[in-house]
Amino acid sequence: MSTIKIYTCHHKASAFLSSNLIEPIHVGKALNLNDIGCMGDNTGDNISYKNPFYCELTAHYWVWKNAQPTDFVGFMHYRRHLNFSDNQSMAEDNWGVINAEELDASYENECGLTTEQITATLEDCDLILPKKWSVTQAGNRSNYSHYMRSEYLHIEHYDEALKIIASDYPEYVSAAEKFNAASDGYYTNMFVMRHDLFDRYSKWLFDISQKLESKISFNNFNSQEKRVIGHISERLLNIFILRELEINPDLKIKEVQRTFIKKETFNGKLAPVYPKGSIPVVICFDDNYAISGAALINSLLKNSQDELNYDIIVLENKISTINKSRLFKLVAEKNNFSLRFFDVNTFTELNDVHVRGHFTAATYARLFIPRLLKDYSKVIFIDADTVVEHDIAELYEIELGTNLVAAVRDIVMEGFVKFGAMSTSSFGIMPAKQYLHKVLAMNKPEKYFQAGIIVFNIDQMNKEDTYQQLMAEMKSGQYWFLDQDIMNKVFYDRVHDLPLEWNVYHGNGNTDDFFPNLVFSTYSQFLRARMKPKMIHFAGENKPWNTSRVDFFDNFAKNIADTPWQYQLYQNLAGQTLGSTNAVTSGAPALLLQTRIKRRLMPMVDRFAPTGSPRRNSLIKYYYIVRRKILG
C-alpha cells in the first residue's frame, strides 16, 4: 500500500481535517509568534520568513527539505480542499468552486476527505489536480491575458519568470507558450503527486523562484501585490505538468473538483509541551495589560521550582509583536519555562457575547479552556491583574476528585448579598441574593467563587462534556458578572474551596470602606490572608501600574523592576503615558477620576440611603434603569 501525506496550509488558527493522511502546517510561522495548534514551517531548512511573498510555497519548501518522504505528497489550503469523492458533479460557482458552509464531519464525508476515499482515489494514479478552470469566466481570453489584467498582478514579473525559463530551461518553452495561449489551467496551487514528480518539480520551481528574486522589486506594493512568487508559481505548476506530459504522454492524471469553506471555525487544540512534571498556567490579556501580564509571569518565574516544568499559555487579544518578544525574553533563560500565545479571536462564538464597562469579549476566553486544552489533566487559570508570592505548583497538586474546579470564595459577592446590592442582567434588576437563587440556581450563595484564580479539572470536564454546558449558558442570556456568573452556575456545588490567601484583594484603594462591614469572621479571614498572601489580585479600576496609592503596590513594582516595562511604570506614575509630553510635576499619583468622584458622592448617598435600606435598593434599581436607557 502506498504511503500518502497531504499538507493543509494555515496562516492562522482554523479548522483541521480529521484524516490521518492530512497534516496541518502553520505557514509563515517565523513571522507569527502565536501557536495555532499545529507544526510550523520554521524549523530545519526553511524559507518561512518569505511567506508574505511565497504564500503556501513556504510549506511546500519545508516539506521538500525536511519531511519524511512518502509515496505521494500533496497540498491543500485551510479553507480550500480537493473533492476526493466519487461525485464530481457538485454545483460550482463562477470560479469553479464547490461552496460548503463549514468544515464538519458531514462535509468531510460528502467531499471524500477521508482516509479511505483519498487512498482509493490515488489508486492507479500519478497525479491529482484540481479540475481546470477557464479564465473566460473572469472575462479573459488566455492565461497570459488573465495575469496581465488581474488586480494586484504585474505582467513584467511573470515576463521575467518566462525569460528565466527560456534562458535556463529552454526545453520548457513550448509548454510555457502552450499554457499562456490556453484559456484554462490548474489554479490555486493544490495537488497530490508521486514523490519523484514532487522532487523534480520542487527543484525546478525553487530554482526559478530564487533567480526571479534578483529580477524583480517592489515599488510601494501593498500586501496583495507582494505575493508575486505565490501567484507566478500557480502558472509554473501548469508549465511543469505540460512538460511532463511531453516527456511521458501516459502520465496518469485525475482531475477533481475544488471546495471552499464559507464559515471560518476552529476545531483544534493545544497539546502539552512537556510529557510530565508540567504545571500548565493560562493567562488572558491584551496590549493594555501587557505590563500587568509581565509582572505576573515574572512573579511565576521568581516563585518556581527548577525541577518542575511550567507550561504558560497566554490567550491574547491583539498583543503587539514587541510586547510578545519582550515576554519571550523574560522566560528565555529558564529551560523549564515554555511560553505560548493563542489568539482569543479564533473563537468565533465571542462575536456576539454580552459585554459591559471595561470588560471585553476576551473576558469569556476562560470558558474555552476545557476545549482548547482537552489533552491536559488539570489547568490553572489566573487573571492578568495579579502577582503570585508562592509557587503555583501547590495548586496543581490538589486532589479535585469529581469537583470541576478549585477556587476561592468571593467575599465581595458575600458583601453584595449582605448589603442588598442590586444586580442588573437580561434576567431583570434584583437584589444580589435573589439573583444568585433565581438566575444562577445557587441555593447556597456563600458558594459563589471569584474567578481570578481557578484550577480546572479537565479530565472530569471531558467526561461530562462541561464545555457544551458552558457554551449553552453563554448563549442563554446577559449575566451580571459575565463569564464568572456562568461558571458559578455550571460549576455550582462542584468547587474545591481554596484558602483566601490564594486570591487576596488589594482593596482597590478603599480597603477600609467595604471589607470591615462584612461578617466579622470573613473580615478576620481577609485580614489574616493579607498578612501572607499567595496571590494578590489588583481587581478594580485602580491598578498599581497607574497609581502607587493602592495596597501591595511594592509587590507589583518588584516584579516590573529590571524589565522593559519599568520605564513605562515610571512614566505612568509621573502622570505620563508613553509618548506624552505632559507630566505631573508635583504631588503623589492620583487615583482614577471615577474613584475620586465616587468618594465625594458616597458619603451623601450613604446618609440619604444607607446600605441595605429599601431606599438604597430603589436608588440602585432606578440608576440601572436610567443607565440602560442611556447606554443601551
Side-chain angles (χ1 to χ4, degrees), residues 350-496:
L350 295 180
N351 294 340
D352 302 315
V353 295
H354 166 64
V355 295
R356 63 174 177 82
H358 66 281
F359 296 106
T360 67
T363 301
Y364 293 86
R366 50 194 159 192
L367 299 183
F368 294 84
I369 288 175
R371 167 180 149 190
L372 181 64
L373 305 177
K374 58 186 177 184
D375 284 353
Y376 287 78
S377 174
K378 287 183 284 190
V379 170
I380 300 169
F381 172 86
I382 184 167
D383 269 349
D385 58 347
T386 67
V387 292
V388 298
E389 294 288 331
H390 191 80
D391 185 9
I392 203 84
E394 178 183 303
L395 295 180
Y396 194 77
E397 298 304 319
I398 294 172
E399 290 295 333
L400 296 178
T402 58
N403 284 321
L404 296 173
V405 294
V408 177
R409 82 179 193 273
D410 193 340
I411 60 175
V412 171
M413 180 59 75
E414 181 179 321
F416 289 166
V417 170
K418 179 178 185 291
F419 307 139
M422 299 297 289
S423 71
T424 177
S425 69
S426 63
F427 306 97
I429 299 173
M430 62 190 81
K433 186 174 183 179
Q434 182 183 347
Y435 173 81
L436 296 182
H437 278 292
K438 182 179 177 181
V439 179
L440 303 190
M442 299 184 71
N443 295 325
K444 305 170 187 173
E446 67 275 11
K447 293 282 188 177
Y448 189 93
F449 66 84
Q450 212 283 333
I453 191 164
I454 308 172
V455 184
F456 284 80
N457 188 350
I458 303 297
D459 280 344
Q460 190 64 31
M461 290 183 179
N462 286 339
K463 293 176 185 177
E464 302 182 22
D465 198 12
T466 305
Y467 168 72
Q468 292 302 332
Q469 298 175 50
L470 292 169
M471 290 299 101
E473 291 299 336
M474 186 178 75
K475 298 171 185 176
S476 68
Q478 300 175 0
Y479 290 86
W480 188 18
F481 286 102
L482 311 182
D483 68 316
Q484 180 170 278
D485 285 357
I486 291 170
M487 288 187 286
N488 269 280
K489 184 173 184 178
V490 174
F491 303 152
Y492 176 61
D493 226 13
R494 304 281 300 281
V495 181
H496 176 92

Side-chain angles (χ1 to χ4, degrees), residues 7 38 53 144 192 203 233 402 438 451 459 472 506 621 629:
Y7 298 87
C38 64
F53 326 111
Y144 186 84
V192 185
K203 289 176 182 176
S233 70
T402 58
K438 182 179 177 181
D459 280 344
H506 80 309
K621 181 176 180 178
K629 290 286 186 183

Side-chain angles (χ1 to χ4, degrees), residues 273-293:
V273 171
Y274 303 102
K276 59 181 180 179
S278 171
I279 312 300
V281 181
V282 178
I283 314 167
C284 181
F285 57 92
D286 60 17
D287 224 33
N288 295 319
Y289 275 68
I291 186 172
S292 176

